[in-house]
Amino acid sequence: MKAFAALQRYHRPTAPLLLDFLAPSALHIRQYHATPARLAESQSNSKPKYVLSKEQREFLDSALRVNQAGELAATLIYTAQTPQVVRSHPHLRPLMKHMYDQEAGHLRTFNQMIAKHRVRPTAMYPIWEAAATFLGWSTGVMGREAAMACTEAVETEIGTHYNEQIREILAWEADAHSRGEELDDELKDMLATFRRIRDEELEHLDHAVENDSKEAQPYDPLVNVIRLGCRAAIKISERV
């Protein structure tokens, strides 16, 4: 209980950060199409806009739901790991804060996106919250190497998933160009956001390896179990 109480002193996400996505109707809502200003601007563009199919819109809904859930879990993992890690390795405090701050920024971004596009958040939120907190706390207790192995495993799966989303939207862009059309500006912005966040997640993976993630004992079982859990969470959050 003392270990969990200590979590309150380290980068605890505020209630709005975790919960503001639960009330999307309170925010300005737009679907996956241009804003009025962008629509007026696009009228002067000779290329028609690429119209998403029902299946493509459902893909984006699923992508945003999974991404929001994943970033929520990441903030909770770092929140729970930090007390144990920096107690034994104070020099890692700036790195842990840097990674947490980036994840908190990612979470705010996806909170805004799912509210803006009226995407239903995952119903698994309470379970993911408990699981992420336990994963972060338990790997933090195991030591710096295990905490970094957790980051390596999670970011490997998250980076792979972002890459899959980016490839899918790039395929739409190629299809649009073959038709003499182009993606809507809002979808282009979303693609750029996915790429930026993907790169920051892979930066965390590099930090983990640089800080001896592969020295964790037992490395292979720990990483494989975490990666399997991440893949399962992604699949469930896509639908539930």
Side-chain angles (χ1 to χ4, degrees), residues 61-71 161 165 233-234 237-238:
D61 285 357
S62 175
L64 293 180
R65 179 164 50 251
V66 169
N67 294 351
Q68 189 275 340
E71 300 302 341
H161 196 62
Q165 295 173 357
I234 287 170
S237 296
E238 284 177 344

Side-chain angles (χ1 to χ4, degrees), residues 183-200:
L183 297 183
D184 177 81
D185 289 341
E186 192 158 5
L187 188 53
K188 290 179 183 178
D189 289 346
M190 189 179 294
L191 175 61
T193 297
F194 285 9
R195 280 173 156 162
R196 173 182 61 80
I197 292 178
R198 185 267 322 267
D199 291 347
E200 290 176 355

Side-chain angles (χ1 to χ4, degrees), residues 203-220:
E203 174 193 318
H204 298 176
L205 171 58
D206 290 340
H207 288 318
V209 174
E210 290 165 1
N211 283 277
D212 301 325
S213 63
K214 297 188 184 300
E215 300 301 317
Q217 296 297 328
Y219 173 79
D220 287 330

